[in-house]
Amino acid sequence: MNHQPVDATTATSFLPMVSVVVPIYNGEADLPELINCLLSQTYPKDRVEYLLVDNNSSDRTLTNLKTSAENCPITIRPLSENQIQSSYSARNTGIRAAKGEIIVFTDADCRPQPQWLDALIQPFVNKEVVIVAGEILALPGTTLLEQHAERQETLSQKHTLKHSFRPYGQTANLAIRHIALEKAGLFRPYLTTGGDADICWRILGENIGRLEFAPNAIVQHRHRATLQELQSQWRRYGRSNRYLHELHGVDLMRDMTPKEYGYRLARWLLKEIPRDIKKAIVGQATLVDLLNTPIGLFTARARTAGQKDAKLPDNAKIIDRL
């Protein structure tokens, strides 16, 4: 995963055809900002197509996609996946229709920065590179929970790239060579979470090539703003780990004991709160600092519950093929 120097002339002339695949479910509200971000990309417009895949939305997503594609200066191809309600199945629909040598993934609620594609594609000049992960940063948040997640860098690829089993990139900002998908297969269409790790690990496990990190290929993503959304997010992380345990044998996350929870809360009340209140008085701490521990314990419990309750469906083991 170490970045290797690339000859500047070669990098400048390296402009493969790129297909950007975006699964969308009830994304009517996100479409205008997403398309503005796609319009702002500095990668040559004649070398990229955008395959926006509606996944059986109940709002006006598909209608608006078709309208946006008309008379647009970039190539937008509206597609539909109505058979399987799964973002991974929708991505597979996009992959099958793609014409590009490189398949790029992001999500409807992400906001790619203008240099995103340029930076994400550049590492592929090295033929050994078959997967590139870009960075995921937070959109400016106003709520306490958003600010806490931004402080923790919850969505950053640095966490997944250091996974103890194998590194992987999240599909919010990921690019894969088409030939690697031909060899290793597509996403598991019935999997509901963990598919980004699964597809990266299958490619890396077959020694098709290596993974590279492109820190300057940036998309921004909004963090969860309510406790319900936060709980759902971390329960999904727990389910993902259970599924990857069953598919790849990764270790399950250890549950915190009641004694450990009690110790963490006592330390927060007796040590951290007095310390952070003193810091807050002189402007060196905020409410985010004061509530860091209880929010962390809340997410830990949600993740534990998700891992405990999850059971991988038999059909989630199916791998789609081109």
Side-chain angles (χ1 to χ4, degrees), residues 149-212:
E150 182 176 2
R151 180 84 61 85
Q152 298 297 316
E153 298 180 299
T154 299
L155 296 174
S156 174
Q157 300 274 35
K158 71 179 185 181
H159 303 300
T160 59
L161 293 171
K162 292 180 180 178
H163 196 282
S164 58
F165 182 74
R166 282 195 183 102
Y168 72 92
Q170 300 167 79
T171 44
N173 194 357
L174 187 69
I176 303 177
R177 283 193 195 273
H178 191 280
I179 192 170
L181 296 169
E182 293 176 23
K183 293 179 178 180
L186 309 185
F187 291 96
R188 299 180 194 263
Y190 293 97
L191 198 62
T192 56
T193 183
D196 39 16
D198 173 70
I199 200 166
C200 289
W201 291 348
R202 284 191 279 119
I203 292 170
L204 297 175
E206 293 186 22
N207 294 316
I208 297 171
R210 63 183 182 85
L211 182 154
E212 183 80 47

Short mmCIF file of all heavy atoms in Angstrom, two decimals, residues 149-212:
data_model
loop_
_atom_site.label_atom_id
_atom_site.label_comp_id
_atom_site.label_asym_id
_atom_site.label_seq_id
_atom_site.Cartn_x
_atom_site.Cartn_y
_atom_site.Cartn_z
N ALA A 149 -18.43 12.82 15.70
CA ALA A 149 -17.98 11.88 14.67
C ALA A 149 -16.86 12.47 13.83
O ALA A 149 -15.91 11.77 13.46
CB ALA A 149 -19.16 11.49 13.77
N GLU A 150 -16.95 13.78 13.57
CA GLU A 150 -15.87 14.43 12.82
C GLU A 150 -14.58 14.41 13.63
O GLU A 150 -13.50 14.15 13.09
CB GLU A 150 -16.26 15.87 12.49
CG GLU A 150 -15.21 16.61 11.68
CD GLU A 150 -15.64 18.00 11.29
OE1 GLU A 150 -16.75 18.41 11.68
OE2 GLU A 150 -14.87 18.67 10.59
N ARG A 151 -14.68 14.66 14.94
CA ARG A 151 -13.50 14.63 15.81
C ARG A 151 -12.86 13.24 15.81
O ARG A 151 -11.63 13.11 15.82
CB ARG A 151 -13.93 15.01 17.23
CG ARG A 151 -12.80 15.02 18.26
CD ARG A 151 -12.04 16.30 18.25
NE ARG A 151 -12.88 17.45 18.58
CZ ARG A 151 -13.16 17.85 19.83
NH1 ARG A 151 -12.63 17.21 20.85
NH2 ARG A 151 -13.91 18.91 20.03
N GLN A 152 -13.71 12.19 15.80
CA GLN A 152 -13.21 10.82 15.82
C GLN A 152 -12.79 10.32 14.44
O GLN A 152 -12.26 9.22 14.32
CB GLN A 152 -14.30 9.90 16.37
CG GLN A 152 -14.71 10.20 17.81
CD GLN A 152 -13.58 10.00 18.78
OE1 GLN A 152 -12.84 9.02 18.72
NE2 GLN A 152 -13.42 10.96 19.70
N GLU A 153 -13.08 11.11 13.40
CA GLU A 153 -12.81 10.70 12.01
C GLU A 153 -13.43 9.33 11.73
O GLU A 153 -12.81 8.44 11.16
CB GLU A 153 -11.30 10.68 11.73
CG GLU A 153 -10.63 12.04 11.90
CD GLU A 153 -9.15 11.99 11.62
OE1 GLU A 153 -8.43 11.26 12.33
OE2 GLU A 153 -8.71 12.68 10.69
N THR A 154 -14.70 9.21 12.09
CA THR A 154 -15.40 7.92 12.03
C THR A 154 -15.37 7.29 10.65
O THR A 154 -15.19 6.08 10.52
CB THR A 154 -16.87 8.11 12.48
OG1 THR A 154 -16.87 8.57 13.84
CG2 THR A 154 -17.63 6.80 12.40
N LEU A 155 -15.53 8.10 9.61
CA LEU A 155 -15.65 7.55 8.25
C LEU A 155 -14.32 7.48 7.50
O LEU A 155 -14.28 7.01 6.37
CB LEU A 155 -16.64 8.40 7.44
CG LEU A 155 -18.08 8.39 7.95
CD1 LEU A 155 -18.92 9.38 7.16
CD2 LEU A 155 -18.68 6.99 7.84
N SER A 156 -13.24 7.92 8.11
CA SER A 156 -11.96 7.97 7.41
C SER A 156 -11.50 6.58 6.97
O SER A 156 -11.66 5.59 7.70
CB SER A 156 -10.89 8.58 8.31
OG SER A 156 -9.62 8.51 7.69
N GLN A 157 -10.93 6.53 5.78
CA GLN A 157 -10.40 5.27 5.27
C GLN A 157 -9.20 4.78 6.08
O GLN A 157 -8.82 3.62 5.97
CB GLN A 157 -9.96 5.44 3.80
CG GLN A 157 -11.07 5.85 2.85
CD GLN A 157 -11.88 4.68 2.30
OE1 GLN A 157 -12.12 3.69 2.98
NE2 GLN A 157 -12.31 4.80 1.05
N LYS A 158 -8.63 5.64 6.90
CA LYS A 158 -7.45 5.21 7.66
C LYS A 158 -7.79 4.05 8.59
O LYS A 158 -6.92 3.25 8.94
CB LYS A 158 -6.86 6.38 8.45
CG LYS A 158 -7.67 6.85 9.63
CD LYS A 158 -6.99 8.00 10.35
CE LYS A 158 -7.72 8.41 11.61
NZ LYS A 158 -7.06 9.53 12.30
N HIS A 159 -9.06 3.96 9.00
CA HIS A 159 -9.46 2.84 9.87
C HIS A 159 -9.54 1.53 9.08
O HIS A 159 -9.02 0.51 9.52
CB HIS A 159 -10.81 3.14 10.51
CG HIS A 159 -10.84 4.42 11.29
ND1 HIS A 159 -10.02 4.64 12.38
CD2 HIS A 159 -11.59 5.54 11.13
CE1 HIS A 159 -10.27 5.86 12.86
NE2 HIS A 159 -11.20 6.42 12.12
N THR A 160 -10.18 1.57 7.92
CA THR A 160 -10.35 0.34 7.14
C THR A 160 -9.04 -0.11 6.49
O THR A 160 -8.81 -1.30 6.31
CB THR A 160 -11.43 0.53 6.06
OG1 THR A 160 -11.05 1.61 5.19
CG2 THR A 160 -12.77 0.86 6.70
N LEU A 161 -8.18 0.85 6.18
CA LEU A 161 -6.91 0.49 5.57
C LEU A 161 -5.96 -0.17 6.56
O LEU A 161 -4.97 -0.79 6.17
CB LEU A 161 -6.25 1.73 4.96
CG LEU A 161 -6.98 2.34 3.76
CD1 LEU A 161 -6.36 3.68 3.37
CD2 LEU A 161 -6.96 1.38 2.57
N LYS A 162 -6.28 -0.06 7.85
CA LYS A 162 -5.46 -0.69 8.88
C LYS A 162 -6.14 -1.92 9.48
O LYS A 162 -5.77 -2.39 10.55
CB LYS A 162 -5.14 0.31 9.99
CG LYS A 162 -4.23 1.45 9.56
CD LYS A 162 -3.95 2.41 10.72
CE LYS A 162 -3.04 3.54 10.29
NZ LYS A 162 -2.81 4.52 11.40
N HIS A 163 -7.15 -2.43 8.79
CA HIS A 163 -7.86 -3.60 9.32
C HIS A 163 -6.89 -4.75 9.57
O HIS A 163 -5.99 -5.01 8.76
CB HIS A 163 -8.97 -4.04 8.35
CG HIS A 163 -9.97 -4.96 8.96
ND1 HIS A 163 -9.72 -6.30 9.16
CD2 HIS A 163 -11.23 -4.74 9.43
CE1 HIS A 163 -10.78 -6.87 9.71
NE2 HIS A 163 -11.71 -5.94 9.88
N SER A 164 -7.09 -5.44 10.68
CA SER A 164 -6.14 -6.48 11.09
C SER A 164 -6.14 -7.69 10.14
O SER A 164 -5.15 -8.43 10.09
CB SER A 164 -6.47 -6.95 12.51
OG SER A 164 -7.80 -7.45 12.58
N PHE A 165 -7.23 -7.89 9.40
CA PHE A 165 -7.28 -9.03 8.48
C PHE A 165 -6.60 -8.67 7.15
O PHE A 165 -5.60 -9.27 6.78
CB PHE A 165 -8.74 -9.44 8.24
CG PHE A 165 -8.90 -10.63 7.33
CD1 PHE A 165 -8.62 -11.91 7.79
CD2 PHE A 165 -9.36 -10.47 6.03
CE1 PHE A 165 -8.76 -13.01 6.96
CE2 PHE A 165 -9.50 -11.56 5.19
CZ PHE A 165 -9.21 -12.83 5.65
N ARG A 166 -7.16 -7.71 6.47
CA ARG A 166 -6.56 -7.14 5.25
C ARG A 166 -7.09 -5.72 5.11
O ARG A 166 -8.18 -5.41 5.55
CB ARG A 166 -6.97 -7.93 3.99
CG ARG A 166 -6.24 -9.24 3.77
CD ARG A 166 -6.46 -9.74 2.34
NE ARG A 166 -5.81 -11.03 2.13
CZ ARG A 166 -6.44 -12.20 2.11
NH1 ARG A 166 -7.75 -12.24 2.31
NH2 ARG A 166 -5.79 -13.31 1.90
N PRO A 167 -6.35 -4.85 4.44
CA PRO A 167 -6.88 -3.50 4.21
C PRO A 167 -8.04 -3.54 3.23
O PRO A 167 -8.14 -4.45 2.41
CB PRO A 167 -5.68 -2.75 3.62
CG PRO A 167 -4.84 -3.82 2.99
CD PRO A 167 -5.00 -5.03 3.87
N TYR A 168 -8.90 -2.56 3.32
CA TYR A 168 -9.95 -2.41 2.31
C TYR A 168 -10.40 -0.96 2.28
O TYR A 168 -10.13 -0.18 3.20
CB TYR A 168 -11.13 -3.33 2.58
CG TYR A 168 -12.01 -2.98 3.77
CD1 TYR A 168 -13.15 -2.18 3.61
CD2 TYR A 168 -11.73 -3.46 5.05
CE1 TYR A 168 -13.96 -1.88 4.69
CE2 TYR A 168 -12.54 -3.15 6.13
CZ TYR A 168 -13.65 -2.36 5.94
OH TYR A 168 -14.46 -2.05 7.02
N GLY A 169 -11.07 -0.60 1.18
CA GLY A 169 -11.61 0.75 1.04
C GLY A 169 -13.12 0.72 1.03
O GLY A 169 -13.73 -0.23 0.53
N GLN A 170 -13.73 1.76 1.59
CA GLN A 170 -15.18 1.84 1.62
C GLN A 170 -15.70 2.33 0.28
O GLN A 170 -15.09 3.18 -0.38
CB GLN A 170 -15.61 2.80 2.73
CG GLN A 170 -15.15 2.36 4.11
CD GLN A 170 -15.30 3.46 5.14
OE1 GLN A 170 -16.39 3.70 5.65
NE2 GLN A 170 -14.21 4.14 5.45
N THR A 171 -16.89 1.82 -0.11
CA THR A 171 -17.43 2.14 -1.43
C THR A 171 -17.89 3.59 -1.56
O THR A 171 -18.24 4.01 -2.66
CB THR A 171 -18.62 1.22 -1.76
OG1 THR A 171 -19.48 1.11 -0.61
CG2 THR A 171 -18.13 -0.16 -2.16
N ALA A 172 -17.86 4.36 -0.48
CA ALA A 172 -18.12 5.79 -0.62
C ALA A 172 -17.04 6.47 -1.44
O ALA A 172 -17.28 7.55 -2.02
CB ALA A 172 -18.22 6.45 0.76
N ASN A 173 -15.87 5.84 -1.55
CA ASN A 173 -14.75 6.43 -2.30
C ASN A 173 -13.76 5.32 -2.66
O ASN A 173 -12.75 5.13 -1.98
CB ASN A 173 -14.07 7.51 -1.46
CG ASN A 173 -13.14 8.38 -2.28
OD1 ASN A 173 -12.96 8.16 -3.48
ND2 ASN A 173 -12.55 9.37 -1.64
N LEU A 174 -14.08 4.62 -3.73
CA LEU A 174 -13.30 3.42 -4.10
C LEU A 174 -13.26 3.27 -5.61
O LEU A 174 -14.24 3.57 -6.30
CB LEU A 174 -13.96 2.19 -3.47
CG LEU A 174 -13.22 0.85 -3.58
CD1 LEU A 174 -11.94 0.87 -2.73
CD2 LEU A 174 -14.12 -0.30 -3.14
N ALA A 175 -12.13 2.80 -6.12
CA ALA A 175 -11.99 2.53 -7.55
C ALA A 175 -11.34 1.15 -7.74
O ALA A 175 -10.42 0.80 -7.00
CB ALA A 175 -11.14 3.60 -8.23
N ILE A 176 -11.85 0.39 -8.71
CA ILE A 176 -11.36 -0.97 -8.96
C ILE A 176 -11.21 -1.17 -10.47
O ILE A 176 -12.08 -0.76 -11.25
CB ILE A 176 -12.33 -2.03 -8.40
CG1 ILE A 176 -12.55 -1.83 -6.90
CG2 ILE A 176 -11.79 -3.44 -8.67
CD1 ILE A 176 -13.56 -2.81 -6.29
N ARG A 177 -10.11 -1.80 -10.87
CA ARG A 177 -9.95 -2.13 -12.29
C ARG A 177 -11.04 -3.11 -12.71
O ARG A 177 -11.36 -4.07 -11.99
CB ARG A 177 -8.59 -2.78 -12.54
CG ARG A 177 -7.41 -1.83 -12.57
CD ARG A 177 -6.19 -2.54 -13.14
NE ARG A 177 -4.98 -1.79 -12.87
CZ ARG A 177 -4.49 -0.82 -13.63
NH1 ARG A 177 -5.14 -0.48 -14.73
NH2 ARG A 177 -3.36 -0.21 -13.30
N HIS A 178 -11.57 -2.90 -13.89
CA HIS A 178 -12.62 -3.78 -14.42
C HIS A 178 -12.13 -5.22 -14.51
O HIS A 178 -12.86 -6.17 -14.18
CB HIS A 178 -13.07 -3.28 -15.80
CG HIS A 178 -14.31 -3.94 -16.31
ND1 HIS A 178 -14.32 -5.18 -16.90
CD2 HIS A 178 -15.61 -3.51 -16.29
CE1 HIS A 178 -15.56 -5.50 -17.26
NE2 HIS A 178 -16.36 -4.50 -16.89
N ILE A 179 -10.87 -5.39 -14.89
CA ILE A 179 -10.34 -6.75 -15.06
C ILE A 179 -10.29 -7.50 -13.73
O ILE A 179 -10.45 -8.72 -13.69
CB ILE A 179 -8.94 -6.71 -15.72
CG1 ILE A 179 -8.52 -8.12 -16.16
CG2 ILE A 179 -7.91 -6.10 -14.78
CD1 ILE A 179 -7.28 -8.15 -17.02
N ALA A 180 -10.11 -6.78 -12.62
CA ALA A 180 -10.11 -7.42 -11.31
C ALA A 180 -11.50 -7.95 -10.97
O ALA A 180 -11.65 -9.01 -10.36
CB ALA A 180 -9.63 -6.44 -10.24
N LEU A 181 -12.53 -7.21 -11.38
CA LEU A 181 -13.91 -7.65 -11.14
C LEU A 181 -14.25 -8.84 -12.04
O LEU A 181 -15.02 -9.73 -11.65
CB LEU A 181 -14.87 -6.50 -11.41
CG LEU A 181 -14.71 -5.30 -10.47
CD1 LEU A 181 -15.50 -4.10 -10.97
CD2 LEU A 181 -15.13 -5.66 -9.05
N GLU A 182 -13.66 -8.87 -13.22
CA GLU A 182 -13.86 -10.03 -14.10
C GLU A 182 -13.30 -11.29 -13.45
O GLU A 182 -13.89 -12.37 -13.54
CB GLU A 182 -13.16 -9.79 -15.45
CG GLU A 182 -13.77 -8.69 -16.30
CD GLU A 182 -12.96 -8.46 -17.56
OE1 GLU A 182 -12.22 -9.38 -17.99
OE2 GLU A 182 -13.04 -7.34 -18.11
N LYS A 183 -12.17 -11.15 -12.79
CA LYS A 183 -11.51 -12.32 -12.21
C LYS A 183 -12.09 -12.73 -10.86
O LYS A 183 -12.27 -13.92 -10.60
CB LYS A 183 -10.01 -12.04 -12.07
CG LYS A 183 -9.28 -11.88 -13.39
CD LYS A 183 -7.80 -11.57 -13.17
CE LYS A 183 -7.06 -11.45 -14.50
NZ LYS A 183 -5.61 -11.15 -14.30
N ALA A 184 -12.36 -11.78 -9.99
CA ALA A 184 -12.78 -12.09 -8.62
C ALA A 184 -14.29 -12.11 -8.44
O ALA A 184 -14.79 -12.61 -7.43
CB ALA A 184 -12.15 -11.10 -7.65
N GLY A 185 -15.02 -11.57 -9.41
CA GLY A 185 -16.47 -11.50 -9.28
C GLY A 185 -16.92 -10.13 -8.78
O GLY A 185 -16.12 -9.30 -8.36
N LEU A 186 -18.22 -9.92 -8.84
CA LEU A 186 -18.81 -8.65 -8.44
C LEU A 186 -19.18 -8.68 -6.95
O LEU A 186 -18.76 -9.57 -6.22
CB LEU A 186 -20.04 -8.36 -9.31
CG LEU A 186 -19.84 -8.46 -10.82
CD1 LEU A 186 -21.11 -8.04 -11.56
CD2 LEU A 186 -18.65 -7.64 -11.29
N PHE A 187 -19.99 -7.74 -6.54
CA PHE A 187 -20.47 -7.72 -5.16
C PHE A 187 -21.44 -8.87 -4.92
O PHE A 187 -22.10 -9.36 -5.85
CB PHE A 187 -21.18 -6.40 -4.86
CG PHE A 187 -20.28 -5.20 -4.83
CD1 PHE A 187 -20.13 -4.39 -5.95
CD2 PHE A 187 -19.57 -4.87 -3.68
CE1 PHE A 187 -19.30 -3.28 -5.93
CE2 PHE A 187 -18.74 -3.76 -3.64
CZ PHE A 187 -18.61 -2.97 -4.77
N ARG A 188 -21.56 -9.27 -3.67
CA ARG A 188 -22.59 -10.24 -3.29
C ARG A 188 -23.92 -9.47 -3.25
O ARG A 188 -24.12 -8.62 -2.38
CB ARG A 188 -22.28 -10.85 -1.92
CG ARG A 188 -20.95 -11.60 -1.87
CD ARG A 188 -20.70 -12.18 -0.49
NE ARG A 188 -19.33 -12.61 -0.32
CZ ARG A 188 -18.91 -13.88 -0.48
NH1 ARG A 188 -19.78 -14.83 -0.78
NH2 ARG A 188 -17.63 -14.19 -0.31
N PRO A 189 -24.85 -9.76 -4.17
CA PRO A 189 -26.03 -8.89 -4.34
C PRO A 189 -27.00 -8.89 -3.16
O PRO A 189 -27.74 -7.92 -2.98
CB PRO A 189 -26.71 -9.46 -5.59
CG PRO A 189 -26.25 -10.89 -5.65
CD PRO A 189 -24.84 -10.87 -5.13
N TYR A 190 -27.00 -9.96 -2.36
CA TYR A 190 -27.94 -10.04 -1.23
C TYR A 190 -27.31 -9.63 0.10
O TYR A 190 -27.97 -9.66 1.12
CB TYR A 190 -28.52 -11.45 -1.12
CG TYR A 190 -29.40 -11.83 -2.28
CD1 TYR A 190 -28.90 -12.58 -3.34
CD2 TYR A 190 -30.73 -11.44 -2.33
CE1 TYR A 190 -29.70 -12.92 -4.42
CE2 TYR A 190 -31.54 -11.78 -3.40
CZ TYR A 190 -31.02 -12.52 -4.44
OH TYR A 190 -31.82 -12.87 -5.51
N LEU A 191 -26.04 -9.26 0.05
CA LEU A 191 -25.39 -8.79 1.28
C LEU A 191 -25.87 -7.37 1.57
O LEU A 191 -26.02 -6.56 0.66
CB LEU A 191 -23.88 -8.80 1.08
CG LEU A 191 -22.98 -8.76 2.32
CD1 LEU A 191 -23.22 -9.98 3.20
CD2 LEU A 191 -21.50 -8.69 1.91
N THR A 192 -26.15 -7.07 2.82
CA THR A 192 -26.67 -5.75 3.18
C THR A 192 -25.63 -4.83 3.80
O THR A 192 -25.85 -3.63 3.89
CB THR A 192 -27.86 -5.89 4.15
OG1 THR A 192 -27.43 -6.64 5.29
CG2 THR A 192 -29.02 -6.60 3.47
N THR A 193 -24.51 -5.38 4.22
CA THR A 193 -23.42 -4.57 4.77
C THR A 193 -22.13 -5.39 4.73
O THR A 193 -22.17 -6.62 4.73
CB THR A 193 -23.73 -4.12 6.22
OG1 THR A 193 -22.67 -3.27 6.68
CG2 THR A 193 -23.87 -5.29 7.16
N GLY A 194 -21.00 -4.72 4.66
CA GLY A 194 -19.71 -5.43 4.61
C GLY A 194 -19.25 -5.79 3.21
O GLY A 194 -18.18 -6.39 3.05
N GLY A 195 -19.99 -5.39 2.20
CA GLY A 195 -19.64 -5.78 0.83
C GLY A 195 -18.38 -5.12 0.31
O GLY A 195 -17.70 -5.67 -0.55
N ASP A 196 -18.06 -3.93 0.83
CA ASP A 196 -16.83 -3.26 0.38
C ASP A 196 -15.60 -4.04 0.83
O ASP A 196 -14.67 -4.28 0.05
CB ASP A 196 -16.77 -1.81 0.86
CG ASP A 196 -17.28 -1.61 2.28
OD1 ASP A 196 -17.42 -2.62 3.02
OD2 ASP A 196 -17.54 -0.47 2.65
N ALA A 197 -15.59 -4.47 2.10
CA ALA A 197 -14.48 -5.29 2.59
C ALA A 197 -14.42 -6.61 1.84
O ALA A 197 -13.35 -7.06 1.42
CB ALA A 197 -14.63 -5.54 4.09
N ASP A 198 -15.56 -7.24 1.66
CA ASP A 198 -15.62 -8.55 1.00
C ASP A 198 -15.02 -8.51 -0.39
O ASP A 198 -14.20 -9.36 -0.75
CB ASP A 198 -17.07 -9.03 0.94
CG ASP A 198 -17.22 -10.30 0.12
OD1 ASP A 198 -16.76 -11.36 0.58
OD2 ASP A 198 -17.79 -10.22 -1.00
N ILE A 199 -15.40 -7.51 -1.20
CA ILE A 199 -14.91 -7.49 -2.58
C ILE A 199 -13.42 -7.16 -2.64
O ILE A 199 -12.67 -7.73 -3.44
CB ILE A 199 -15.74 -6.52 -3.45
CG1 ILE A 199 -15.57 -6.88 -4.93
CG2 ILE A 199 -15.40 -5.06 -3.17
CD1 ILE A 199 -16.58 -6.22 -5.84
N CYS A 200 -12.96 -6.26 -1.76
CA CYS A 200 -11.53 -5.95 -1.72
C CYS A 200 -10.73 -7.17 -1.27
O CYS A 200 -9.67 -7.48 -1.85
CB CYS A 200 -11.26 -4.78 -0.79
SG CYS A 200 -11.83 -3.16 -1.39
N TRP A 201 -11.21 -7.87 -0.27
CA TRP A 201 -10.49 -9.02 0.25
C TRP A 201 -10.45 -10.16 -0.75
O TRP A 201 -9.45 -10.89 -0.83
CB TRP A 201 -11.11 -9.48 1.57
CG TRP A 201 -10.88 -8.50 2.69
CD1 TRP A 201 -10.03 -7.44 2.68
CD2 TRP A 201 -11.52 -8.49 3.96
NE1 TRP A 201 -10.10 -6.76 3.88
CE2 TRP A 201 -10.99 -7.39 4.69
CE3 TRP A 201 -12.48 -9.32 4.57
CZ2 TRP A 201 -11.41 -7.09 5.99
CZ3 TRP A 201 -12.89 -9.01 5.86
CH2 TRP A 201 -12.36 -7.92 6.56
N ARG A 202 -11.50 -10.34 -1.53
CA ARG A 202 -11.49 -11.39 -2.55
C ARG A 202 -10.46 -11.07 -3.63
O ARG A 202 -9.74 -11.95 -4.10
CB ARG A 202 -12.88 -11.57 -3.16
CG ARG A 202 -13.85 -12.32 -2.25
CD ARG A 202 -15.13 -12.70 -2.97
NE ARG A 202 -16.06 -11.60 -3.05
CZ ARG A 202 -16.50 -11.05 -4.17
NH1 ARG A 202 -16.05 -11.49 -5.34
NH2 ARG A 202 -17.38 -10.06 -4.17
N ILE A 203 -10.40 -9.81 -4.02
CA ILE A 203 -9.42 -9.40 -5.04
C ILE A 203 -8.00 -9.54 -4.52
O ILE A 203 -7.12 -10.12 -5.19
CB ILE A 203 -9.70 -7.96 -5.50
CG1 ILE A 203 -11.02 -7.90 -6.28
CG2 ILE A 203 -8.55 -7.42 -6.35
CD1 ILE A 203 -11.50 -6.49 -6.55
N LEU A 204 -7.75 -9.05 -3.32
CA LEU A 204 -6.42 -9.13 -2.75
C LEU A 204 -6.03 -10.57 -2.42
O LEU A 204 -4.88 -10.98 -2.57
CB LEU A 204 -6.34 -8.27 -1.48
CG LEU A 204 -6.54 -6.76 -1.68
CD1 LEU A 204 -6.57 -6.04 -0.34
CD2 LEU A 204 -5.45 -6.18 -2.58
N GLY A 205 -7.02 -11.37 -1.99
CA GLY A 205 -6.76 -12.77 -1.65
C GLY A 205 -6.37 -13.61 -2.84
O GLY A 205 -5.65 -14.61 -2.70
N GLU A 206 -6.81 -13.21 -4.03
CA GLU A 206 -6.46 -13.94 -5.25
C GLU A 206 -5.19 -13.40 -5.89
O GLU A 206 -4.82 -13.81 -7.00
CB GLU A 206 -7.62 -13.90 -6.24
CG GLU A 206 -8.85 -14.67 -5.76
CD GLU A 206 -9.95 -14.74 -6.82
OE1 GLU A 206 -9.62 -14.59 -8.02
OE2 GLU A 206 -11.11 -14.96 -6.44
N ASN A 207 -4.54 -12.45 -5.21
CA ASN A 207 -3.27 -11.88 -5.68
C ASN A 207 -3.38 -11.30 -7.09
O ASN A 207 -2.45 -11.43 -7.91
CB ASN A 207 -2.15 -12.94 -5.63
CG ASN A 207 -1.83 -13.36 -4.22
OD1 ASN A 207 -1.72 -12.54 -3.32
ND2 ASN A 207 -1.71 -14.67 -4.00
N ILE A 208 -4.51 -10.67 -7.37
CA ILE A 208 -4.71 -10.04 -8.67
C ILE A 208 -3.89 -8.76 -8.79
O ILE A 208 -3.46 -8.37 -9.86
CB ILE A 208 -6.21 -9.77 -8.88
CG1 ILE A 208 -6.99 -11.09 -8.91
CG2 ILE A 208 -6.46 -8.99 -10.17
CD1 ILE A 208 -8.49 -10.93 -8.89
N GLY A 209 -3.68 -8.11 -7.67
CA GLY A 209 -2.92 -6.87 -7.64
C GLY A 209 -2.97 -6.29 -6.25
O GLY A 209 -3.44 -6.93 -5.31
N ARG A 210 -2.53 -5.05 -6.12
CA ARG A 210 -2.46 -4.47 -4.79
C ARG A 210 -3.36 -3.24 -4.66
O ARG A 210 -3.86 -2.70 -5.65
CB ARG A 210 -1.03 -4.11 -4.42
CG ARG A 210 -0.36 -3.06 -5.29
CD ARG A 210 1.09 -2.87 -4.84
NE ARG A 210 1.78 -1.85 -5.61
CZ ARG A 210 1.73 -0.55 -5.33
NH1 ARG A 210 1.01 -0.12 -4.32
NH2 ARG A 210 2.41 0.32 -6.06
N LEU A 211 -3.52 -2.81 -3.42
CA LEU A 211 -4.37 -1.66 -3.08
C LEU A 211 -3.49 -0.45 -2.80
O LEU A 211 -2.45 -0.57 -2.16
CB LEU A 211 -5.23 -2.00 -1.87
CG LEU A 211 -6.24 -0.97 -1.36
CD1 LEU A 211 -7.37 -1.68 -0.64
CD2 LEU A 211 -5.61 0.04 -0.41
N GLU A 212 -3.93 0.70 -3.27
CA GLU A 212 -3.21 1.97 -3.05
C GLU A 212 -4.17 2.98 -2.41
O GLU A 212 -5.38 2.97 -2.68
CB GLU A 212 -2.73 2.51 -4.39
CG GLU A 212 -1.90 3.79 -4.31
CD GLU A 212 -0.46 3.53 -3.92
OE1 GLU A 212 0.17 2.62 -4.50
OE2 GLU A 212 0.03 4.23 -3.03
#
